[in-house]
Amino acid sequence: MSKKMHITLKVNGEEQEFLAEPRELLIHTLRERLGITGPHIGCETSHCGACTVTLNGKSVKSCTVFVAQADGADITTIEGLGSPDNLHVLQTAFKEHHGLQCGFCTPGMITRASKLLEENPNPTEEEVRFGMAGNICRCTGYQNIVKSILAAAAEMNAVKEAAE
Amino acid sequence: MIPAAFEYHRPKDMAGVLAVLTQYGDDARVMAGGHSLIPMMKLRMADVPHLIDLQSVEGLGGISVADGVVRLGAMVTQHDIIDSAELASAAPILRETSLQIADPQVRYMGTIGGNVANGDPGNDMPGLMQCLDATFHLVGPDGERTVAARDFYESAYMTAREDDEVLTAVSFAVPQGGYGYVKQKRKIGDYATAAAAVQLVKENGVCTAASIAMTNLSDTPVHSVAAGDALVGTSVDDAAIKAAVQAMLGDIDPAQDNRGPVEFKRHAASVILRRTIERAWSRA
């Protein structure tokens, strides 16, 4: 047991303050302390990406970040991207293009995809596959995930064009 | 999955880092991106009672190209390397290599300093840095010193860095000529079964300089002087490439693991080096 630290985080726009041991992994903070259970845990070797969140503008695997490192950070999880009544374009696209089955990888997939499309709004299929390579899925075989992300990109670009 | 407890330190400057290192000795360890250290802590293969997070330490970031020298602060991430137009123009082999390391999430966090200081022969940057004849900058209680990348690696996880030293930057002369980093791996994010870094110069159809280093084919990266020498003075024809591959095979010492037996790794190394030389020559 080490000394607890006073931690401040901004998660999905809400300020959070609490005491935690430095060794607490950010994924556990989100899920167990804050009740934000969209991000999942699929491995213990930092491969699967099911725990992916956006931390200070970067896609990170929250299983490989100590809460102590994240002190002061701004974090977005799947819950912050959209809600059942107000789906994010990517969430709608995953639904329409059957980009999920069991749904366990989906929060990490969509959170990563949101950052990918922010950095590259017009990705090729190959760029989508490479840009999503840190996220493993056991159900879909990826094809429909790629379709979902390309469809979301097209939709987001159409909306952007219409606004201009 | 659950790391042991530790005390966390986030100093703002190098003096603060060194103070913690000096106070706690072997019980303290610096962390950059955390994407080698945290996984080891989660498996309880690394015991770190005092963790020093380098994220807020001033002066460890930044990519610069000036007076023919590229300098990367230790905390420059793989993502930063890929993203840098200046680097893509001055030393494109860096970007080619970084894109073959890990995956997007890991590249946002993992740093050049952590990659080269880790000492795992699976890391890709150590071989590349040996190919480029890079210099590693270290700071310790007695001040600064530099170590050539080619002298830095002693064995797996054993390097010339002392326990109370921190690697602060890497630097190397702007590389000349054609380049290539080719890596054989089982899947995205895997360490290499075999990988090669090649940088060579072509003048009037003749190779006038060549540097070759191999990744994950020994307990350290392997800078093969003989392989480079085999290309110099030739037109990098089939005979010269065969000679370079043969020379390289004399310098590597792969170990059997779940990437394959020794003979397979030697075969993979041969194929990869041939491809890398051909790619570098076509770009020279």
Side-chain angles (χ1 to χ4, degrees):
Chain A
M1 197 69 169
S2 58
K3 203 171 67 189
K4 288 196 174 179
M5 285 176 62
H6 180 241
I7 305 278
T8 312
L9 299 176
K10 191 179 201 179
V11 186
N12 298 329
E14 274 186 49
E15 299 286 348
Q16 304 281 356
E17 256 188 86
F18 50 89
L19 293 175
E21 274 194 79
R23 66 162 161 170
E24 186 171 298
L25 295 168
L26 182 58
I27 183 65
H28 292 135
T29 306
L30 294 170
R31 290 181 54 81
E32 293 170 26
R33 185 180 289 281
L34 304 177
I36 297 170
T37 57
H40 291 138
I41 300 171
C43 73
E44 60 172 1
T45 50
S46 314
H47 287 104
C48 80
C51 63
T52 299
V53 302
T54 309
L55 185 150
N56 293 336
K58 304 166 172 181
S59 293
V60 305
K61 297 180 177 181
S62 59
C63 76
T64 314
V65 179
F66 292 122
V67 70
Q69 282 174 279
D71 185 24
D74 189 341
I75 295 163
T76 304
T77 70
I78 187 69
E79 288 87 347
L81 287 176
S83 63
D85 301 329
N86 184 23
L87 293 181
H88 187 276
V89 179
L90 274 160
Q91 290 170 316
T92 305
F94 269 66
K95 181 178 137 190
E96 288 184 357
H97 296 270
H98 306 287
L100 69 149
Q101 288 178 33
C102 83
F104 197 84
C105 76
T106 316
M109 281 284 176
I110 291 181
T111 309
R112 168 59 196 147
S114 71
K115 184 68 199 167
L116 171 66
L117 293 186
E118 197 182 300
E119 290 185 348
N120 182 0
N122 272 306
T124 62
E125 176 180 336
E126 198 186 335
E127 286 167 345
V128 168
R129 288 182 186 274
F130 192 71
M132 297 299 297
N135 294 74
I136 293 174
C137 173
R138 297 187 82 159
C139 300
T140 64
Y142 303 99
Q143 298 280 53
N144 286 349
I145 290 176
V146 175
K147 278 186 204 167
S148 304
I149 294 169
L150 290 172
E155 171 71 18
M156 289 160 91
N157 290 333
V159 169
K160 212 186 297 168
E161 243 172 63
E164 275 163 11
Chain B
M1 184 74 184
I2 308 297
F6 57 81
E7 296 293 339
Y8 176 79
H9 308 265
R10 198 195 285 192
K12 298 253 189 293
D13 55 28
M14 194 49 67
V17 177
L18 294 174
V20 182
L21 277 176
T22 305
Q23 185 177 354
Y24 296 105
D26 283 352
D27 281 347
R29 187 143 177 204
V30 299
M31 180 178 72
H35 277 54
S36 294
L37 186 57
I38 296 175
M40 295 300 267
M41 291 172 75
K42 287 164 67 175
L43 296 169
R44 307 254 176 154
M45 291 169 79
D47 180 33
V48 184
H50 289 270
L51 185 69
I52 309 167
D53 184 348
L54 298 179
Q55 70 168 294
S56 301
V57 176
E58 270 179 46
L60 292 184
I63 296 172
S64 71
V65 182
D67 303 326
V69 175
V70 178
R71 190 174 200 280
L72 308 175
M75 291 295 281
V76 167
T77 65
Q78 307 294 347
H79 183 83
D80 295 335
I81 288 173
I82 292 164
D83 222 25
S84 165
E86 197 180 19
L87 206 51
S89 139
I93 195 169
L94 266 287
R95 184 172 196 274
E96 179 156 289
T97 305
S98 284
L99 282 167
Q100 298 177 71
I101 294 175
D103 61 48
Q105 287 94 320
V106 176
R107 292 193 291 263
Y108 282 109
M109 295 295 286
T111 65
I112 176 79
N115 196 295
V116 301
N118 189 26
D120 186 332
N123 287 118
D124 290 287
M125 285 294 175
L128 174 58
M129 291 300 138
Q130 291 196 339
C131 172
L132 297 176
D133 197 12
T135 300
F136 295 164
H137 302 255
L138 302 166
V139 172
D142 301 329
E144 298 183 22
R145 68 178 180 120
T146 59
V147 180
R150 292 174 181 176
D151 298 329
F152 189 72
Y153 299 95
E154 293 163 359
S155 65
Y157 299 103
M158 299 292 291
T159 68
R161 186 184 63 81
E162 300 294 339
D163 285 343
D164 56 0
E165 287 182 314
V166 182
L167 190 147
T168 56
V170 305
S171 65
F172 50 87
V174 170
Q176 303 299 312
Y179 66 93
Y181 192 85
V182 180
K183 176 175 175 180
Q184 172 66 41
K185 57 183 193 263
R186 297 171 300 178
K187 57 185 165 56
I188 285 279
D190 194 22
Y191 285 142
T193 302
V198 174
Q199 190 83 42
L200 48 71
V201 179
K202 183 185 338 187
E203 280 171 30
N204 302 319
V206 174
C207 176
T208 55
S211 179
I212 292 176
M214 308 299 292
T215 293
N216 216 13
L217 292 159
S218 180
D219 62 353
T220 62
V222 175
H223 171 234
S224 179
V225 178
D229 286 350
L231 298 179
V232 174
T234 76
S235 57
V236 188
D237 53 10
D238 189 59
I241 294 175
K242 274 188 181 140
V245 167
Q246 210 51 43
M248 174 276 293
L249 288 172
D251 286 343
I252 63 171
D253 182 20
Q256 172 167 342
D257 60 16
N258 52 12
R259 293 184 181 87
V262 171
E263 275 315 299
F264 173 70
K265 289 191 175 183
R266 293 175 67 81
H267 172 72
S270 304
V271 173
I272 288 299
L273 179 56
R274 168 173 284 276
R275 287 182 191 166
T276 319
I277 291 169
E278 286 170 351
R279 180 179 292 186
W281 187 244
S282 74
R283 287 164 164 171

